């Protein structure tokens, strides 16, 4: 079957010895060759496991979200932990799918005061100032772009920065907090994920609280809503959320790990993403957008 | 219902008089206010209409592709016109859906010599050099980015350029030509469209031949394939293509038009995309990626 990059992927699948060949390496080759010490375990306490109703032919639809670590968005992630502990998300639904933009889930009646599902006590009202953190040292700078003075990776996450502040960026699969108009900042009870071109204009305007590390396809392939903004027009179109639990409460959940963004392996991987010279490529780009360097994440080897 | 940008979209839907309010304009406001003279008709002879088998509940699934104009990729678009005239695509299928990357369609047996559907006579073998064109004057430069010295728009299309050459770029919904390893350049009989973050590393490595201007959701929401590269593992998973016709041969097709990228309206729209100040936004980005400035296209008013 004709495909526009079969060769490189077959090479990646074969995980060749890096020294054995003069063939240009693919990004996948570099990831496959990374030593075990370059992989960092993601604590199950930082995972949120969302089970949708089964799909066609009864197939399970599990989505695994990794919550973002400090210094970013901890007020909201704390709220999300409370909502999960209260089993608040159980019985909510995916309510909106807007093509090339976002999938959104939460209480379908959240904006109708007399029908909204009551929120658990103790949720923080997080200030707008918390959309950004004090500027961190960006370890693996990819330079600036149209949206920021600098971009890079911080403990496994894509971030951007100006001289004073740093913030996570809206790449594909990142998870953010739905909110009403400012000064509302959202609680974390309504969440969305990016399913198209990175909507970087949302950076610093919405709290990013995590990313989807498994099961993204169960959200990105949902039918697009036909109402304004991609909201579903009838309740029947929504996808019910059966349960949402912290990863530490889910028996049998695989152990996930990410490729340390401080590692030499990651630097080599990012370089290969920017300079494809493997069989398929004729003209290496010589650069790469931060959202085209997805941080490698895998279910850990047993 | 909570949504993270309801206000701006409601404003866009209302198409307010631009002079009537001090409220910051949205990109949608600018597009809605564009004079009729800023909209350019897309000739139906440049449209390719692809009808998939009906979806759930018998809903029609029509995808409309606009072929890219000169100076780009005319060898391949000429081939595609021949393939459509020969009704070659009828009975082919969507064979691959890789999340955050591409949907691909064509002959499922195209790589099996004794089973492949014979191609019509007279298809051109287009040289690799045709991936780029001589540098055009970029009318609306958005500056450079990680992938190119300059980016901008040329007769309604997103392009990039270096000092010598210009080329269309791999934004969401752009359509390109599947191919084998170089020196193969593909015929146009196998096509793909982008369904995720712009894979700009493919620029200048594959021929881009068009973009999807209607029905994108029928491709982007297809189930992801579970084989390598997102290929479907069984024929049953494929989505059959019933017919592919040129727009001029499809009775009742709406007349489509695009907002001239040379117009003041487009410049204002792009500026608003880069500097959101409407209700929802607290922190305008101050810049925008070329793939975050989708060229407005609409079914023309009667």
């Amino acid at each position: 079957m004709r495909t526009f990059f079969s060769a490189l992927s077959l090479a990646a699948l074969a995980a060749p010895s890096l020294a054995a060949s003069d063939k240009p390496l693919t990004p996948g080759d570099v990831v496959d060759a990374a030593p075990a010490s370059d992989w960092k375990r993601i604590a199950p306490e930082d995972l949120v496991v969302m089970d949708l109703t089964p799909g066609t032919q009864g197939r399970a639809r599990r989505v695994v979200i990794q919550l973002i670590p400090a210094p970013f968005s901890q007020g909201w992630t704390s709220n999300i932990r409370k909502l999960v502990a209260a089993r608040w998300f159980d019985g909510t639904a995916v309510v909106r799918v807007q093509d090339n933009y976002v999938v959104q889930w939460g209480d379908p009646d959240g904006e109708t005061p007399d029908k909204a599902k009551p929120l658990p006590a103790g949720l923080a009202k997080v200030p707008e100032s918390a959309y950004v953190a004090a500027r961190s040292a960006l370890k693996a700078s990819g330079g600036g772009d149209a949206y920021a003075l600098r971009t890079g990776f911080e403990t496994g996450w894509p971030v951007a920065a100006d001289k004073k502040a740093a913030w996570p960026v809206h790449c594909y699969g990142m998870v953010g907090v739905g909110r009403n108009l400012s000064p509302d900042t959202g609680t974390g009870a309504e969440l969305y994920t990016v399913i198209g071109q990175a909507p970087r204009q949302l950076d610093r305007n919405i709290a990013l609280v995590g990313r989807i590390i498994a099961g993204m396809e169960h959200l990105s392939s949902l039918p697009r809503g036909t109402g304004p903004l991609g909201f579903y027009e009838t309740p029947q179109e929504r996808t019910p959320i059966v349960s949402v639990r912290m990863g530490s409460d889910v028996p049998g959940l695989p152990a996930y790990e990410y490729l340390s963004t401080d590692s030499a392996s990651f630097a080599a991987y990012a370089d290969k993403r920017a300079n494809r010279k493997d069989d398929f490529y004729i003209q290496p780009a010589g650069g790469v957008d931060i959202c085209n360097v997805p941080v490698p994440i895998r279910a850990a080897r047993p």
Side-chain angles (χ1 to χ4, degrees), chain A residues 242-260:
Chain A
V242 176
S243 75
V244 177
R245 298 286 179 273
M246 298 310 296
S248 42
D249 294 330
V250 177
L253 190 71
Y256 291 97
E257 53 189 19
Y258 70 95
L259 185 62
S260 168

Side-chain angles (χ1 to χ4, degrees), chain A residues 13-257:
Chain A
L13 289 171
S17 160
L18 295 190
S21 165
D22 288 337
K23 279 176 72 101
L25 300 180
T26 68
D29 293 337
V30 174
V31 171
D32 287 341
S37 57
D38 283 352
W39 291 91
K40 304 296 176 194
R41 188 63 56 100
I42 301 171
E45 292 77 12
D46 293 331
L47 297 178
V48 173
V49 179
M50 176 165 75
D51 285 332
L52 309 176
T53 51
T56 52
Q57 302 173 322
R59 258 183 253 172
R61 290 192 286 185
R62 172 165 284 183
V63 177
V64 182
I65 302 163
Q66 180 188 8
L67 295 177
I68 201 166
F72 301 114
S73 304
Q74 296 301 289
W76 291 281
T77 58
S78 173
N79 283 351
I80 291 168
R81 291 174 191 279
K82 286 176 185 161
L83 288 157
V84 173
R87 306 198 167 184
W88 185 87
F89 284 106
D90 297 16
T92 63
V94 178
V95 295
R96 173 191 182 198
V97 184
Q98 184 172 0
D99 197 55
N100 190 18
Y101 200 40
V102 295
V103 170
Q104 190 169 330
W105 61 94
D107 178 9
D109 299 314
E111 295 297 292
T112 311
D114 58 342
K115 290 178 72 187
K117 187 170 186 173
L119 293 168
L123 298 186
K125 186 174 173 179
V126 193
E128 185 185 285
S129 57
Y131 291 143
V132 302
R135 163 94 191 242
S136 312
L138 295 183
K139 304 285 170 39
S141 173
D145 62 18
Y147 300 93
L149 187 65
R150 292 187 71 189
T151 61
F153 293 89
E154 190 69 20
T155 57
W157 294 78
V159 299
D162 61 17
K163 289 181 180 172
K164 293 180 182 168
W167 56 90
V169 297
H170 274 84
C171 297
Y172 192 95
M174 290 287 280
V175 174
V177 172
R179 66 166 171 84
N180 283 320
L181 293 186
S182 178
D184 181 59
T185 62
T187 60
E190 183 125 15
L191 298 171
Y192 65 88
T193 190
V194 172
I195 59 163
Q197 178 70 16
R200 298 278 305 281
Q201 70 277 11
L202 299 176
D203 294 352
R204 295 183 284 175
N205 287 293
I206 302 190
L208 283 169
V209 291
R211 65 179 159 200
I212 291 176
I213 65 166
M216 180 66 182
E217 67 276 14
H218 303 308
L219 297 174
S220 57
S221 68
L222 289 173
R224 278 47 182 158
T226 50
L229 307 177
F231 278 98
Y232 290 122
E233 299 187 90
T234 63
Q236 292 72 32
E237 295 172 276
R238 297 175 190 143
T239 301
I241 295 169
V242 176
S243 75
V244 177
R245 298 286 179 273
M246 298 310 296
S248 42
D249 294 330
V250 177
L253 190 71
Y256 291 97
E257 53 189 19

